Amino acid sequence: MARFNYSYRSGEFAAAMAGNQDPIAFAGTAAITEAGNVAKTAGRRNIAAAGFSVRWQNALRLNIYPKGRTSIDAAALIFHKIPYAGVFEDNTLISGKPTLWLPLPTAPKRAGRQKMTPALYVRTIGPLVSIERPGKPPLLAGKIAINRRSKPGEDGRHKVTLSALRRGGKGAPSTLVPLFIGVDRVSIRDKLSIREIVQSAAGQLGALYFKNLRAN
């Protein structure tokens, strides 16, 4: 998600009103703050409606500049703390270099605070085995430890746990379990409308400015 800057500048009008700058600065800063909060609230609702977690919703932030004081040059910055959030703003095609490895449901979600990737798996858990499938996407499989007491489920698969994967990666008797699937590219459809929401909020600046100017 891109960052968006909106600033209200009174220009020549402010210069002509130099003797009355405090009310103008107050109104301008108040208008920017109100519009920014409208955008942030509506944006977080939009993120929630798209099915994203509370963490993703709260990662949409608002900063008002200059901080801690009023100014006729006040500006609002709406941004998302997750760097790649912008891919959900437009239809985005992500290509592998040459292969994009996507985690399967069997793959551990994280290693510490980092999201699991093949490189991170090898570094923190154990080796991965490449499985080529003619006419189908390739797989990367991990070694899961088994023993005489561990029996496969009704689907013929052993229960995948992080501890079993670590033991298998360290040389214990093991079997393979697919963890990642390789694709050439993946298409991510647009789910968010943050740009439109910010633009709509910015369109209210004039009315908000005069409202706060009259109230001062």
Side-chain angles (χ1 to χ4, degrees):
M1 192 176 303
R3 294 189 176 195
F4 304 97
N5 239 340
Y6 291 91
S7 61
Y8 182 87
R9 300 180 182 278
S10 31
E12 293 180 358
F13 176 72
M17 297 289 290
N20 195 32
Q21 281 191 358
D22 286 347
I24 293 172
F26 171 84
T29 303
I32 283 289
T33 302
E34 283 191 54
N37 281 317
V38 166
K40 183 181 73 172
T41 300
R44 287 181 173 179
R45 282 200 301 265
N46 180 244
I47 294 170
F52 289 88
S53 67
V54 173
R55 173 176 170 265
W56 271 73
Q57 296 165 41
N58 292 338
L60 185 68
R61 300 296 177 84
L62 166 67
N63 286 346
I64 303 295
Y65 300 100
K67 292 185 177 181
R69 63 184 180 87
T70 59
S71 171
I72 60 174
D73 293 319
L77 177 64
I78 304 289
F79 64 99
H80 205 284
K81 290 194 69 176
I82 298 175
Y84 55 87
V87 300
F88 299 103
E89 188 76 17
D90 304 296
N91 288 319
T92 304
L93 184 66
I94 301 177
S95 298
K97 298 180 181 181
T99 303
L100 187 65
W101 293 102
L102 305 178
L104 295 169
T106 47
K109 297 293 186 289
R110 294 179 178 273
R113 293 186 177 183
Q114 294 180 280
K115 286 191 173 181
M116 186 58 68
T117 65
L120 184 61
Y121 185 96
V122 171
R123 192 164 68 247
T124 61
I125 297 177
L128 288 167
V129 177
S130 178
I131 301 176
E132 297 296 330
R133 305 185 298 165
K136 296 181 179 180
L139 298 172
L140 289 176
K143 297 180 179 180
I144 181 172
I146 57 172
N147 54 45
R148 286 175 297 179
R149 291 177 298 176
S150 63
K151 297 181 179 179
E154 293 182 359
D155 58 359
R157 298 177 181 178
H158 290 268
K159 184 178 180 180
V160 181
T161 65
L162 189 56
S163 62
L165 288 168
R166 284 182 171 145
R167 293 198 310 274
K170 291 179 179 178
S174 62
T175 186
L176 294 178
V177 57
L179 299 176
F180 300 92
I181 186 169
V183 296
D184 295 330
R185 63 188 64 86
V186 62
S187 179
I188 299 176
R189 67 179 182 84
D190 61 315
K191 295 183 177 182
L192 304 177
S193 304
I194 306 302
R195 290 192 188 95
E196 291 85 349
I197 288 169
V198 173
Q199 289 167 357
S200 175
Q204 302 177 39
L205 280 173
L208 292 172
Y209 172 79
F210 285 110
K211 182 194 79 171
N212 284 285
L213 188 63
R214 289 194 298 269
N216 186 37

